[in-house]
Amino acid sequence: MTEIYDVSSFERNRKWYQEDLAQVNEPIRRLLDEYSRVPSSEVVKHVKGIRDRAFAISPYPCIGLFRFTNLTLITHPLYNKIVELLKSDSKKASYLDIGCCFGQDLRQLVFGGVPSERLVGLDIERGLLDLGYDLFLDRETLKSDFVISDILKAQGKEWQSLEERGFDVIHCSAVFHLFTLEGQITAAKNIARLVKKGGMIVGRQMGNVKPGNFPALIEGSFCYQHDVGTFGEMWERVGEATQTCWKVEGTMDLININPIDTLEDEGSRRLLFTITRTE
Ligand SMILES: C[S@@+](CC[C@H](N)C(=O)[O-])C[C@H]1O[C@@H](n2cnc3c(N)ncnc32)[C@H](O)[C@@H]1O
């Protein structure tokens, strides 16, 4: 795939690297405290240490600016319903977190009472998945599977077995917005094959009141930012190409948006979405 970032471009990457972390906020603080048992006095140092190791291998703004500490799924309007569905022994529902990074949202579900073996995380970068165990100190206890795969390629035995299994709930946050529109359509067509009929994809990403191409992480490269309308149009195209049907619902707000950040502007919005497979 086309590289998304350049690890050697320190000067550019430092634009989205925040040196210090004053505090770790709820709800991840409670997760680190009660699930991971990181001593309270050590939490900031612990998170910063993991962040620095992660930024060295994957210099994303969500890592450099500590945005991974703002848990996403828990803010989704369907969160409680998703937890109940995944906890239910009779429904045996399944969950896949695409671009899960450290698996922070997955751990929050486990902390919320979901059996960890019902949850799968997927990421292209093995190092981030490994650092997830170091961040949450659960290498010996977590029973979730983690798959290393590229959603732009969707190849290999592991991807095949994800397709055969199918998922009721897919979480995909801060992932589509990394790619061009063409890349997003490729990824969405691949992801569409993983969703059971009646299943859903939930998440958030960087949206914009003026949808279009915006500067991406590598100098001179671009990514596409949607509003709810263009995101819906993209899923119509995906539906036509995959003979599936999707209902797209979304909202745009200013939560965790900072227009003075290098990669944001006054039109930037958090796009929170639910994409339900109807056919
Ligand atoms: C910006 S982070 C978002 C992490 C997390 N979902 C969140 O909301 O904080 C993007 C994640 O997607 C992963 N990723 C990027 N390109 C990918 C690809 N082609 N296939 C699978 N994962 C990818 C990255 O390694 C990274 O963990």
Side-chain angles (χ1 to χ4, degrees):
M1 76 176 222
T2 316
E3 290 302 329
I4 293 178
Y5 49 75
D6 175 3
V7 272
S8 66
S9 184
F10 181 72
E11 278 312 309
R12 185 161 168 81
N13 295 342
R14 71 186 295 167
K15 290 182 185 159
W16 48 86
Y17 177 87
Q18 177 189 321
E19 197 70 45
D20 287 318
L21 176 65
Q23 57 188 28
V24 176
N25 294 322
E26 300 295 353
I28 199 170
R29 174 142 205 132
R30 184 160 169 230
L31 186 61
L32 289 163
D33 179 12
E34 295 180 25
Y35 171 84
S36 308
R37 306 266 171 223
V38 177
S40 199
S41 58
E42 297 289 312
V43 167
V44 169
K45 194 171 139 214
H46 179 68
V47 170
K48 192 173 177 304
I50 299 288
R51 189 288 300 264
D52 284 341
R53 287 162 64 196
F55 197 74
I57 53 173
S58 291
Y60 287 108
C62 68
I63 293 175
L65 299 170
F66 293 103
R67 286 184 177 175
F68 63 92
T69 63
N70 300 321
L71 296 180
T72 295
L73 186 61
I74 201 167
T75 68
H76 194 281
L78 294 179
Y79 182 72
N80 289 336
K81 273 194 180 166
I82 290 171
V83 172
E84 286 319 307
L85 175 72
L86 294 171
K87 271 164 114 171
S88 159
D89 288 332
S90 57
K91 295 201 172 110
K92 294 200 170 23
S94 53
Y95 167 96
L96 174 67
D97 198 326
I98 290 183
C100 68
C101 194
F102 304 121
Q104 60 271 29
D105 291 290
L106 184 151
R107 263 69 171 206
Q108 179 66 34
L109 286 171
V110 177
F111 185 52
V114 177
S116 63
E117 57 274 19
R118 292 183 192 163
L119 310 177
V120 180
L122 178 149
D123 205 280
I124 196 170
E125 179 53 63
R126 180 189 297 274
L128 296 178
L129 299 176
D130 278 344
L131 283 168
Y133 290 116
D134 293 348
L135 177 60
F136 293 105
L137 306 175
D138 58 1
R139 198 179 286 272
E140 309 304 328
T141 50
L142 188 74
K143 297 195 186 104
S144 306
D145 286 332
F146 287 97
V147 176
I148 298 151
S149 194
D150 181 346
I151 53 169
L152 297 175
K153 292 193 179 144
Q155 288 168 349
K157 271 197 206 142
E158 284 196 307
W159 184 275
Q160 186 67 39
S161 78
L162 294 177
E163 276 189 19
E164 282 160 13
R165 179 170 172 183
F167 291 87
D168 300 282
V169 181
I170 290 187
H171 176 231
C172 187
S173 274
V175 177
F176 286 116
H177 70 198
L178 298 171
F179 311 129
T180 60
L181 182 58
E182 194 189 37
Q184 293 185 31
I185 292 171
T186 302
K189 284 199 271 191
N190 291 332
I191 293 171
R193 301 204 305 268
L194 304 178
V195 186
K196 286 183 189 166
K197 199 164 151 188
M200 63 173 117
I201 306 165
V202 293
R204 56 113 191 157
Q205 62 198 31
M206 189 60 70
N208 204 292
V209 293
K210 291 185 186 158
N213 290 322
F214 287 83
L217 303 183
I218 292 183
E219 187 93 60
S221 70
F222 292 91
C223 57
Y224 192 89
Q225 292 179 7
H226 289 277
D227 65 9
V228 180
T230 61
F231 198 52
E233 282 159 24
M234 181 176 97
W235 279 93
E236 257 176 51
R237 288 174 66 181
V238 170
E240 280 162 20
T242 55
Q243 273 115 50
T244 50
C245 280
W246 303 87
K247 180 177 160 202
V248 174
E249 297 162 288
T251 51
M252 300 228 288
D253 59 45
L254 284 161
I255 293 174
N256 295 321
I257 297 291
N258 185 359
I260 59 164
D261 274 352
T262 330
L263 292 165
E264 291 169 24
D265 65 24
E266 66 288 347
S268 301
R269 297 287 182 277
R270 177 183 75 151
L271 170 56
L272 197 63
F273 58 80
T274 306
I275 311 161
T276 309
R277 180 173 167 194
T278 53
E279 277 302 327

